[in-house]
Amino acid sequence: MTNDDFAEIAGVVRRRSGIVLTGDKAYLLETRLGPVLAKFGLASLGALGQRLKQRPDDVLERAVVEALTTHESSFFRDGKPFEHLARILPKLVSARAPGAALRIWSAACSTGQEPFSIAMLIADTLGPRPECRVEILATDISAEILTRARQGVFTQFEVQRGLPIRSLVKHFKQEGAKWRVSPELAAMVRFEERNLLNDLSAIGKFDAIFCRNVLIYFDAPTKTRVLDALSRRLMPEGVLYLGGAETVLGLTDRLVPVSGERGAYGISTQRAAA
Ligand SMILES: C[S@@+](CC[C@H](N)C(=O)[O-])C[C@H]1O[C@@H](n2cnc3c(N)ncnc32)[C@H](O)[C@@H]1O
């Protein structure tokens, strides 16, 4: 693969997903694109680079992006955002207009551990019959990963990462060597394919947004663009949760840290009306 071929492949990934692949990530292409080469009858990464250069091919480009997204996730990842959400849930519920649903968005949900953690937290905090409707929207750019997430089935290794044993027993059923989320939990989460770079206004506003461990893959202008778009999807009192290595500082003035809560952000009062 020449530098030009690498630049071609990385350019497609960046344009379609925002993910930046620097030269030191060439090994990722080597390790992950083998199945794509086989599927499309391409002999090498060089041949892939040439094909992408010759003509636009939506199906091929999509497959390249799918192969190069990273789906690492775990239940109740980092703990703190979920503890904070549990603490503010009663306030968010009582702030609802009569008849309005409580809406929470997992904006790069990967294999589903994040939205199902939110569903467990809500079921455990508000009880089986909450006083308002609850909607959890879980979205990701990867159609393949969403197919997996929708199944709500996790391996023993996955449930051992972050899921307390009492939550496993309460909310999952064992099926052979795997664990399936309960129908009640599954019914709380709706999965949709969405690209964070696209117009998101159709999905409405949310009381809480989890957009965790995806901005790290973007460059600064893309982070700013996505953060501004997310701020427009937040209710005035809503909270945005980012990953441990992510921040809004230096990227946007539409969002400000929630005092004393690492990784939690609210809409800046100066920008709330904008
Ligand atoms: C590392 S996982 C994070 C999963 C989960 N939020 C967590 O923190 O455990 C990153 C996810 O972001 C998704 N992703 C990457 N670029 C995206 C984009 N432009 N729009 C939506 N999702 C994207 C990937 O497909 C992947 O599933």
Side-chain angles (χ1 to χ4, degrees), residues 78-188:
D78 304 331
K80 293 266 181 260
F82 299 92
E83 290 165 20
H84 182 254
L85 179 63
R87 282 205 305 282
I88 64 166
L89 259 188
K91 191 182 89 185
L92 293 177
V93 169
S94 56
R96 303 286 66 241
L102 179 77
R103 302 192 76 223
I104 300 178
W105 178 22
S106 169
C109 68
S110 186
T111 34
Q113 285 92 334
E114 185 173 275
F116 288 127
S117 298
I118 298 167
M120 281 184 266
L121 179 159
I122 289 175
D124 293 346
T125 312
L126 301 183
R129 269 180 286 279
E131 61 190 84
C132 68
R133 275 184 304 119
V134 177
E135 292 175 12
I136 302 170
L137 176 66
T139 64
D140 201 282
I141 194 175
S142 166
E144 280 173 23
I145 218 69
L146 286 167
T147 302
R148 241 218 75 185
R150 274 190 197 98
Q151 290 166 356
V153 176
F154 297 91
T155 64
Q156 185 69 36
F157 175 72
E158 287 168 332
V159 297
Q160 275 168 347
R161 293 183 67 205
L163 190 59
I165 188 78
R166 67 186 138 68
S167 302
L168 178 65
V169 172
K170 182 173 175 188
H171 295 291
F172 290 75
K173 197 169 150 242
Q174 193 158 16
E175 286 183 358
K178 299 202 171 170
W179 294 84
R180 181 184 290 278
V181 293
S182 67
E184 293 77 17
L185 224 58
M188 292 173 74

Side-chain angles (χ1 to χ4, degrees), residues 17 70-73 77 108 110 114 140-141 195-196 212-213:
S17 71
T70 298
H71 302 294
E72 166 73 12
S73 192
R77 189 171 183 176
S110 186
E114 185 173 275
D140 201 282
I141 194 175
N195 185 342
L196 286 166
R212 310 195 63 232
N213 305 301

Side-chain angles (χ1 to χ4, degrees), residues 198-256:
N198 290 349
D199 179 12
L200 299 164
S201 51
I203 63 174
K205 298 225 173 189
F206 296 86
D207 300 287
I209 300 175
F210 284 67
C211 186
R212 310 195 63 232
N213 305 301
V214 59
L215 293 180
I216 37 168
Y217 300 107
F218 300 164
D219 61 16
T222 310
K223 287 179 192 180
T224 296
R225 173 176 155 194
V226 171
L227 285 168
D228 283 352
L230 293 174
S231 75
R232 292 189 167 85
R233 298 298 102 226
L234 267 185
M235 297 290 278
E237 301 297 322
V239 180
L240 168 68
Y241 298 103
L242 300 182
E246 296 162 336
T247 180
V248 308
L249 300 176
L251 295 165
T252 179
D253 59 0
R254 298 186 63 87
L255 292 154
V256 288

